[in-house]
């Protein structure tokens, strides 16, 4: 039984280990030099005799039972597990494309290398991820000007079932005490020019009701996460995330998914889903402890999605000349009247650049009212034409 896992984060590592323990021949592929994914980033020691770990290797297409890798190289599988995680979603505002604005995820990734880019920093967006980022920057000696959460934590009052099932998450909050003292809710950064940052108080739809100026060298923004699901463009999904059944099976035969590609719920949920996917792909009964962890974790993930949903009022933060697509320099005023994402791309060039819409397509869809089609691409990552030309005539 050949099982290929794409992604070596908490979900992928758990899936690979579980499938190998069940006797499968497992290959785990990851574009990074070390295992760990976003959460553990280089701090995970992954060793398992039954798993071949292909490092620095990007997967770019699934074709039948073949996974295409950069190189070019192909892996043939009986079962494939997609554990490619997510990336953070920025929202545009005047000045977001200037110096001193980065995503919260990028700030966190740099902080894990011991790097902070500035002295006076603001962390803004929505969701609990803002707190570890702010804490990491503080621990590196940065001065936290503010942590601005656009939603209200009161939304969690309606989520008692999810909170009670995940009490350990409350304990985690205590470790962010220092950052919490800088937290302001229903607040967002709506413009930045030089070190002058416009900070607004928001109504519940995120329309500004008042504003003030703060001074900061760096603004880190994170409005939740978008899943990396490009390898399976035809798999069924809900709100961009892959649909899976109780065994982590996607709608595509022999393809499983685990971790943040199925929903955002943290590293522990990702790991539990990985265990189930690894067991199921190797035709073993998943351990009950993982099944229970997924049940609890999904309650939390669903509550998180409700309490920290992006509200439409952010669209009022932009001016006509605010950049929406950075790769192709498309401003709000450049977005055309189009009937579909495809027509919008062809007529305005939004989402046609290097990032292939990962950063801007969702925002462009919201701004124009065009339904977001989940960015279904045949090729998941940019590859040179030469590599396509080097492919064998037929793969199976
Ligand atoms: C930038 C960033 C930083 C984060 N930091 C934290 C944090 O500090 N604390 C926290 O609690 N949560 C953090 N999170 C949330 C965190 O992602 C999850 O809780 C957890 O890591 C999810 O695990 P996963 O296995 O689903 O995905 P990930 O950990 O994201 O792992 C996915 C892996 O798949 C690889 N991959 C993706 N596509 C391909 C491809 N086509 N070919 C080959 N490899 C591929 C990626 O390189 C990555 O290593 C962060 C998220 C992001 C985006």
């Amino acid at each position: 039984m050949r099982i290929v896992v794409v992604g070596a984060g908490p979900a992928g590592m758990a899936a690979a280990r579980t499938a190998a323990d069940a006797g499968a021949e497992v290959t785990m592929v990851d574009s990074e030099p070390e295992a760990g994914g976003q959460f553990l980033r280089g701090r995970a020691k992954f060793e398992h005799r039954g798993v071949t770990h292909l490092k620095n290797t990007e997967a770019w297409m699934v074709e039948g039972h073949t996974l295409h890798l950069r190189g070019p190289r192909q892996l043939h599988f009986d079962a494939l597990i997609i554990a490619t995680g997510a990336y953070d979603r920025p929202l545009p505002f005047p000045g977001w494309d200037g110096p001193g604005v980065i995503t919260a995820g990028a700030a966190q990734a740099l902080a894990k290398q011991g790097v902070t880019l500035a002295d006076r920093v603001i962390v803004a967006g929505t969701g609990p991820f803002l707190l570890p980022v702010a804490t990491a920057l503080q621990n590196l000696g940065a001065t936290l000007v503010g942590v601005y959460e656009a939603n209200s934590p009161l939304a969690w009052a309606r989520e008692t079932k999810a909170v009670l099932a995940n009490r350990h998450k409350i304990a985690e909050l205590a470790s962010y005490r220092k950052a919490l003292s800088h937290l302001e809710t229903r607040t967002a950064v709506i413009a930045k020019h030089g070190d002058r940052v416009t900070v607004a108080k928001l109504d519940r739809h995120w329309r500004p009701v008042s504003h003030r100026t703060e001074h900061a060298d760096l603004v880190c923004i994170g409005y939740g996460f978008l899943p990396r699901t490009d390898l399976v463009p035809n798999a069924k999904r809900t709100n961009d995330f892959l649909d899976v059944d109780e065994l982590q099976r996607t709608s595509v035969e022999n393809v499983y998914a685990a971790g943040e590609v199925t929903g955002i719920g943290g590293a522990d949920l990702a790991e539990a889903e990985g265990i189930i996917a690894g067991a199921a792909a190797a035709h073993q009964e998943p351990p009950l402890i993982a099944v229970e962890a997924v049940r609890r974790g999904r309650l939390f993930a669903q509550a998180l999605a409700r309490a920290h949903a992006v509200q439409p009022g952010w669209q009022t933060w932009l001016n006509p000349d605010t950049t929406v697509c950075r790769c192709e320099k498309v401003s709000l005023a450049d977005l055309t009247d189009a009937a579909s994402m495809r027509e919008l791309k062809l007529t305005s060039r939004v989402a046609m650049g290097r990032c292939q819409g990962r950063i801007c397509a969702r925002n462009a869809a919201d701004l124009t009212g065009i339904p977001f089609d989940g960015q279904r691409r045949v090729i998941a990552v940019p590859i040179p034409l030469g590599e396509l030309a080097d492919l064998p005539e037929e793969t199976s």
Side-chain angles (χ1 to χ4, degrees):
M1 177 87 185
R2 296 164 305 176
I3 296 179
V4 172
V5 180
V6 189
M13 290 190 295
R17 224 180 256 128
T18 310
D21 285 345
E25 184 190 312
V26 181
T27 307
M28 180 174 73
V29 180
D30 196 288
S31 50
E32 294 294 316
E34 295 301 336
Q38 302 290 5
F39 180 45
L40 294 167
R41 197 165 273 272
R43 288 175 294 144
K45 290 277 164 279
F46 186 87
E47 273 164 38
H48 194 298
R49 281 209 316 224
V51 179
T52 306
H53 179 188
L54 298 183
K55 303 174 179 183
N56 296 315
T57 307
E58 250 178 332
W60 59 267
M61 189 167 74
V62 180
E63 197 179 17
H65 283 249
T66 302
L67 177 71
H68 290 277
L69 308 176
R70 293 288 313 274
R73 182 173 174 183
Q74 289 84 41
L75 288 177
H76 305 293
F77 59 81
D78 300 304
L80 177 70
I81 301 174
I82 304 287
T84 41
Y87 50 91
D88 42 7
R89 177 181 180 186
L91 293 180
F93 53 80
W96 78 296
D97 50 341
V101 183
I102 61 173
T103 63
Q108 178 73 332
L110 287 168
K112 285 178 183 170
Q113 320 288 325
V115 177
T116 171
L117 294 179
D119 176 32
R120 292 178 61 78
V121 300
I122 287 173
V123 180
T126 189
F129 183 52
L130 304 180
L131 293 170
V133 176
T135 303
L137 295 172
Q138 271 183 318
N139 289 345
L140 286 169
T143 304
L144 203 52
V145 175
V147 181
Y148 305 136
E149 161 62 63
N151 278 304
S152 163
L154 291 178
W156 281 97
R158 291 192 289 270
E159 307 292 352
T160 37
K161 201 170 151 199
V163 173
L164 289 175
N166 292 276
R167 288 188 185 85
H168 62 287
K169 301 269 184 198
I170 302 174
E172 234 177 84
L173 264 185
S175 62
Y176 305 132
R177 224 170 310 144
K178 234 170 43 164
L180 273 170
S181 64
H182 295 270
L183 182 70
E184 271 186 67
T185 57
R186 289 265 170 85
T187 306
V189 168
I190 61 163
K192 180 175 185 295
H193 297 106
D195 74 339
R196 291 169 61 83
V197 180
T198 309
V199 175
K201 283 286 176 195
L202 308 174
D203 67 11
R204 68 192 172 90
H205 303 293
W206 293 13
R207 285 180 302 236
V209 289
S210 64
H211 56 80
R212 64 178 197 265
T213 300
E214 295 283 358
H215 293 268
D217 313 306
L218 183 69
V219 174
C220 312
I221 44 171
Y223 286 91
F225 295 93
L226 296 169
R228 293 174 72 165
T229 58
D230 325 61
L231 282 171
V232 277
N234 297 323
K236 286 209 180 103
R237 54 198 83 211
T238 305
N239 293 333
D240 312 339
F241 293 94
L242 295 176
D243 290 343
V244 287
D245 66 7
E246 71 290 353
L247 293 179
Q248 301 297 135
R249 287 180 295 210
T250 70
S251 61
V252 180
E253 213 177 335
N254 303 312
V255 178
Y256 298 72
E260 305 223 301
V261 282
T262 74
I264 304 300
D268 41 1
L269 174 60
E271 185 176 353
E273 287 194 3
I275 293 171
I276 296 179
H283 301 308
Q284 288 229 329
E285 201 58 33
L288 281 179
I289 191 163
V291 174
E292 174 56 17
V294 167
R295 188 195 64 80
R296 278 189 279 110
R298 291 231 175 108
L299 279 178
F300 180 77
Q302 287 154 7
L304 191 68
R306 283 188 291 267
H308 295 280
V310 170
Q311 303 298 333
W314 69 266
Q315 296 168 27
T316 64
W317 306 347
L318 284 72
N319 297 325
D321 63 354
T322 304
T323 302
V324 176
C325 164
R326 297 174 69 154
C327 302
E328 292 290 308
K329 272 276 167 218
V330 180
S331 69
L332 177 62
D334 296 330
L335 293 179
T336 43
D337 240 352
S340 66
M341 265 320 270
R342 187 177 154 74
E343 191 185 328
L344 181 67
K345 286 182 188 179
L346 290 173
T347 49
S348 70
R349 292 207 57 79
V350 73
M352 294 288 270
R354 170 86 192 170
C355 92
Q356 287 287 289
R358 284 174 185 81
I359 305 295
C360 61
R362 178 58 193 260
N363 293 338
D366 286 0
L367 286 164
T368 53
I370 293 172
F372 184 57
D373 62 7
Q375 286 290 296
R376 316 226 165 151
R377 306 174 189 86
V378 180
I379 294 177
V381 297
I383 52 169
L385 265 181
E387 270 189 40
L388 287 180
D390 286 345
L391 284 178
E393 283 286 298
E394 268 191 28
T395 54
S396 62

